[in-house]
Every structure is written in structure tokens, then in C-alpha cells.
Amino acid sequence: MMRFTSYFDEAATWAEDLVNTRNIIRDVEKMADVADLGRFLIDHGLRIDGVPSTADLDRARRLRPILRRVFETDDEDAAVELLNGVIADHHGVPHYVRHDGLPWHLHVSTDDHAAVDQYAANAAMGLLAVITSTGLNRLHTCGGNRCAEVFVDISRNQSRRYCSPLICGNRAHAAAHRARQKSVQPSK
């Protein structure tokens, strides 16, 4: 597994997780209400007080297309500009802390910020760590023909083409196999 930075390894996938809450090909919303957003934030280790607001849900949903553009662009400068904008828009304040027996390390948000702001700033910082340490070529959109999910390629040789080798990868391999079989069958 590729290591980008010790603190932002996990945060590097936060952006993909948020973008993938909306399937743009099948028009499926996986973050349908504030309860879904609350579970999503908690599943990512954020502490929330009560249920997020409708405004929080709207802010999280507005963030998705911005982060998707980062995965889809081949312009590193544009990607970094977008991510810097996300950090600024979500009150990111990079600072060094040490806690829980860990050495000094960078945090980009504080616990007193809204959970959506914490999530956004950390997701953006995670992608910036990927881009600045290994390049934009680690960020992908799935190569499956019925999928538009995004992912961070953490493979050593940067060979990953599908969001899930078990789902989209298998579908692509099965389709290629069927096409090969069809091309070698004699005409009737």
C-alpha cells in the first residue's frame, strides 16, 4: 500500500468516499438525508453533536462536484487551486499538534469547526498530500463502462483501473471475454 504521509493516508480516501455518495450515471443518491450524512461523518471518525442540519447536507453535496473535478482533471495547478479553495472555504487552519502519544503532526481543522468543515478540509488536505507527494496520476475515475466512481490508486505500480477489481474489474473482464468468444464463433 502506498503511503502518502502518515497523517493524511486515511484522509486521502475521504474525498473519494464523499464523491461516491452520488452515482452520476445511475442517478442514485447515497446521502439522501441528514441522518445519512450523520452516519457518514461518524463512520469517518468525526464527532458530531446530534443530527447535522439541512444546511450541512447541502454543503456536503455542493462539495462533491468540486472534489470530482479534482479527480477528473489532468491539470495539477487547477487541482491544487480547487483544493486550496476547499480548505479556505471550510475554515482550514493548518497547525501542528501532538496527542495520543503521537509525535508532532499537522492538523488542518479543529474540533470546534462544524463536522462538514472538518471533513472537507481533511479530505482536501489528503488529496493535496497525494498530489504533492506522488502526482495527480494517482487520482482516477473508474474505467468500468457503467461506473463513474472515483478512487485514489494506492497500488505500488499505479496499475489500478477500476474502483473495485471485484465488481467493475470483473464486469470488464467478463465483457471482454464475451466479446472474444463472440468474435471467434462461426457465422450461421
Side-chain angles (χ1 to χ4, degrees):
M1 178 160 139
M2 181 72 193
R3 290 190 57 85
F4 302 109
T5 67
S6 60
Y7 180 67
F8 291 109
D9 283 353
E10 184 178 328
T13 62
W14 283 21
E16 78 180 46
D17 292 345
L18 182 62
V19 171
N20 292 338
T21 62
R22 174 94 175 125
N23 186 305
I24 61 173
I25 291 180
R26 294 185 193 98
D27 194 27
V28 175
E29 177 61 65
K30 299 174 191 171
M31 198 165 45
D33 56 31
V34 294
D36 289 340
L37 173 61
R39 281 188 297 278
F40 181 83
L41 295 170
I42 290 168
D43 288 348
H44 286 85
L46 294 172
R47 293 185 203 116
I48 61 171
D49 296 324
V51 178
S53 69
T54 303
D56 291 330
L57 179 62
D58 291 342
R59 291 174 61 229
R61 286 178 173 172
R62 282 194 308 269
L63 181 58
R64 291 184 300 201
I66 296 166
L67 295 175
R68 176 174 285 284
R69 285 200 315 263
V70 173
F71 281 90
E72 293 175 343
T73 188
D74 57 359
D75 182 343
E76 194 170 279
D77 291 339
V80 169
E81 183 177 336
L82 283 170
L83 294 169
N84 282 336
V86 169
I87 292 171
D89 292 346
H90 291 273
H91 316 292
V93 180
H95 57 284
Y96 279 85
V97 298
R98 63 178 168 193
H99 57 84
D100 302 326
L102 297 170
W104 287 102
H105 59 279
L106 180 66
H107 276 213
V108 71
S109 188
T110 61
D111 290 342
D112 62 337
H113 288 129
V116 171
D117 287 330
Q118 291 177 51
Y119 191 93
N122 279 289
M125 195 67 186
L127 288 182
L128 283 167
V130 171
I131 293 168
T132 59
S133 65
T134 63
L136 192 61
N137 57 343
R138 290 272 181 190
L139 307 181
H140 299 284
T141 301
C142 182
N145 68 353
R146 296 183 310 178
C147 187
E149 294 211 352
V150 299
F151 63 92
V152 177
D153 183 356
I154 57 173
S155 66
R156 286 187 196 270
N157 62 359
Q158 300 181 23
S159 62
R160 193 168 155 200
R161 294 177 40 214
Y162 304 103
C163 65
S164 167
L166 298 176
I167 298 172
C168 291
N170 281 345
R171 283 184 188 145
H173 294 303
H177 174 74
R178 286 190 302 274
R180 283 191 305 275
Q181 293 302 312
K182 187 176 181 177
S183 70
V184 296
Q185 290 179 353
S187 301
K188 294 182 183 184

